[in-house]
Amino acid sequence: MVTGRTLSARVGTLLLTLWLVSILVFFAGQVLPGDVGRVMLGPFADAQAVAELNKRLGADQPVLVQYGRWFSNVLTGDFGTSLSMRAPVAPFVLESLKRSAALAGIILVFLVPLGVGAGVIAGLNAGRFIDRLIVMAGVSFGIVPDFVSGLMLLIVFGLWLNWFPISGVAPDGAGFWTNGYYLILPALPLVLNLAGYIARMTRAGVIEAMAADYTRTAVLKGLERREIIFRHVLRNALTPTIAVLATQTGYMLGGLVVIEALFGIQGLGNLVLNAAKARDFPMLEAGVLVMAAIFVLSAAAGDVVLALLDPRQRRRASS
């Protein structure tokens, strides 16, 4: 199993990475064109009033002092005040993260059975027609950008056939199932884009597991094919796929800017995009920091899952 020393090293690396990300996010926000006081008071505000506001906000202090104050506040969950909304940033980020999480959940509901199921079928029929068909379909859908497939799906299923709403936002007061229904169409472009990759990962794991010694031993013992597949093949073949799904979750939560903009979903990606347009530096820095943290944490979760489930990884970790 994963030793305490290894776990401590991974946690330390994770914290160090997040700290470096916070530095990059803050200083990247500082080099963007614009002035905090000018953004808040408008382009025609008096220069003296702008200077006084910058002084009151601490924006005229050295950059390192500003970073120290900002980072200490971030550690307590205080991301500052939005320049455009004139309200604390944290509630906006949390609400956007909830919307992105709901979309990611719908994506996983379709992606896991489709990608894993297709990969298992392809791996068990390696070299046959069904295997080549699944691989070809996965590659074909995977090379299409999600905004292209999203636009096509919106036109066909949203406008022509009218099967799904063209917006990803359900009416106020809508229930759980209604909200999920409104997110199906926005989720499909990502499902089509990622299903082929998940299927290829699963297929490779199944083929490797079918050729492993433990599978051959099970065959020699006379076990039924179904028992061999479920108890020996899938148990070992799906480990890399689970790790990949964990890392892809970060992308689903923070990297869907185009899909969120296309379907009008005020998720985390759209929040960052709108903050950049409005030069809302506290909102932008908070959104990017949370997005980067999600990517780092999901990648770390994938490594931990792989280390816990894969015996070879456990042996390397303990050695």
Side-chain angles (χ1 to χ4, degrees), residues 2 10 303 306-308 310-318:
V2 180
R10 289 183 177 178
D303 292 339
L306 189 60
L308 291 174
D310 192 340
R312 294 167 296 183
Q313 295 290 333
R314 291 200 296 269
R315 286 194 294 269
R316 289 175 192 154
S318 60

Side-chain angles (χ1 to χ4, degrees), residues 25 70 74 79-80 89-90 93 268 271-272 280-291:
V25 168
W70 174 79
V74 167
F79 291 97
V89 167
V93 175
L268 190 59
L271 177 80
V272 171
D280 190 342
F281 304 118
M283 187 78 77
L284 178 63
E285 291 167 351
V288 174
L289 180 62
V290 171
M291 191 181 295

Side-chain angles (χ1 to χ4, degrees), residues 14-316:
L14 176 64
L15 294 176
L16 177 62
T17 303
L18 292 175
W19 176 64
L20 294 175
V21 166
S22 73
I23 294 177
L24 292 175
V25 168
F26 181 81
F27 283 94
Q30 296 300 307
V31 301
L32 289 176
D35 182 89
V36 174
R38 182 66 63 185
V39 170
M40 294 187 67
L41 297 179
F44 303 108
D46 181 68
Q48 183 177 356
V50 172
E52 291 178 357
L53 180 58
N54 283 331
K55 183 177 181 179
R56 189 164 71 249
L57 296 175
D60 61 336
Q61 297 180 355
V63 176
L64 290 179
V65 175
Q66 294 184 50
Y67 170 75
R69 184 177 65 250
W70 174 79
F71 185 69
S72 61
N73 290 335
V74 167
L75 292 178
T76 63
D78 181 10
F79 291 97
T81 302
S82 169
L83 302 184
S84 58
M85 299 296 182
R86 304 291 198 275
V89 167
F92 292 100
V93 175
L94 182 60
E95 190 63 28
S96 298
L97 184 58
K98 290 180 180 178
R99 296 192 183 102
S100 294
L103 178 58
I106 298 297
I107 294 172
L108 289 174
V109 166
F110 291 98
L111 178 62
V112 172
L114 179 61
V116 173
V120 170
I121 294 173
L124 295 177
N125 297 275
R128 300 178 182 175
F129 172 76
I130 186 63
D131 174 34
R132 292 192 292 269
L133 180 63
I134 290 175
V135 172
M136 184 180 301
V139 172
S140 300
F141 284 117
I143 62 176
V144 179
D146 50 17
F147 70 90
V148 174
S149 58
L151 188 58
M152 294 176 61
L153 290 170
L154 189 150
I155 293 174
V156 174
F157 294 102
L159 296 177
W160 290 355
L161 299 177
N162 200 26
W163 288 0
F164 299 101
I166 61 175
S167 171
V169 182
D172 293 336
F176 175 80
W177 295 108
T178 302
N179 280 280
Y181 172 68
Y182 271 76
L183 291 175
I184 291 177
L185 193 58
L188 289 181
L190 275 300
V191 173
L192 295 176
N193 189 267
L194 296 174
Y197 176 54
I198 300 299
R200 291 195 301 274
M201 288 291 300
T202 306
R203 173 185 180 274
V206 170
I207 293 176
E208 181 181 359
M210 289 292 289
D213 292 337
Y214 53 79
T215 304
R216 295 175 183 173
T217 302
V219 172
L220 293 175
K221 288 182 178 180
L223 299 179
E224 295 183 359
R225 179 177 173 84
R226 169 182 284 187
E227 186 177 1
I228 294 174
I229 292 174
F230 282 96
R231 290 188 56 185
H232 299 279
V233 175
L234 295 184
R235 183 178 179 181
N236 295 278
L238 295 182
T239 299
T241 304
I242 295 173
V244 168
L245 285 171
T247 57
Q248 289 296 325
T249 302
Y251 168 66
M252 297 176 198
L253 286 172
L256 307 182
V257 180
V258 176
I259 294 298
E260 290 178 355
L262 181 62
F263 291 94
I265 301 172
Q266 297 303 315
L268 190 59
N270 218 353
L271 177 80
V272 171
L273 178 63
N274 292 331
K277 290 179 180 178
R279 295 184 179 179
D280 190 342
F281 304 118
M283 187 78 77
L284 178 63
E285 291 167 351
V288 174
L289 180 62
V290 171
M291 191 181 295
I294 290 172
F295 275 96
V296 172
L297 290 173
S298 62
D303 292 339
V304 171
V305 169
L306 189 60
L308 291 174
L309 297 181
D310 192 340
R312 294 167 296 183
Q313 295 290 333
R314 291 200 296 269
R315 286 194 294 269
R316 289 175 192 154

